[in-house]
Amino acid sequence: MDNDVSAGSTTTSTLGQLALGLTLLAFGLGHTRVIDGVTAADSVSLATYVGGIALFVAGLFAFRDHDAFTGTAFSALGALWFTWGVTSDAQVSANAAGLFLLLFALVALSLTVAASGASTLVRGTYGLLFVGLLLLAIGQFGDSSGLAKVAGWFAAAGGLLAWYGATAALANWPTALPGRAAGRGVTATG
């Protein structure tokens, strides 16, 4: 590869969204237990290597491409998945697990708020990740498996959005919702 040619942040973003989507989908479906015999623990390898390492590396490439938001998002989420994956069989209290999830829910909230200039798919992914992690944290604090299942559906939906966004970018599918006509008193500038 020529040193003067960069892969570009679009490629990095697509790779990162695909890694995030697959990890979130596996993690979420594991929590829902909708597939017989599949739990969140079954997504540990995927979370460690695809969600952790690949996403973190995609974040580093985004930083190289001067895309601070994507670099921050992918690096932080890569750290989340790697930490969750390598410590999944560690014996910690429910409150410690809840705190871990709550702290990363706050990271997801920051990403959601900071993604105001990003696509609807990106904002939706981070928003659903925030809700999923928040519900999982509350479920850990309150020992509620029912809340964990609901959280799993939010995480799975976020994974589907991220996966669709990556697939759409690769296949040149639409990624934006059609705009609506401006109503009375509404201008293009707001």
Side-chain angles (χ1 to χ4, degrees), residues 13-103:
S13 180
T14 302
L15 172 65
Q17 289 297 326
L18 191 57
L20 178 60
L22 293 175
T23 305
L24 259 178
L25 191 56
F27 177 79
L29 289 175
H31 277 289
T32 66
R33 297 187 179 239
V34 71
I35 301 171
D36 188 40
V38 175
T39 67
D42 295 320
S43 64
V44 168
S45 292
L46 182 75
T48 303
Y49 298 108
V50 176
I53 295 173
L55 198 55
F56 188 82
V57 170
L60 296 179
F61 279 114
F63 280 127
R64 182 200 67 186
D65 293 338
H66 306 290
D67 185 349
F69 172 75
T70 302
T72 300
F74 290 167
S75 296
L77 294 175
L80 158 73
W81 292 120
F82 186 80
T83 303
W84 182 78
V86 299
T87 62
S88 63
D89 55 355
Q91 298 298 320
V92 297
S93 70
N95 286 342
L99 179 61
F100 173 82
L101 292 165
L102 179 62
L103 293 173

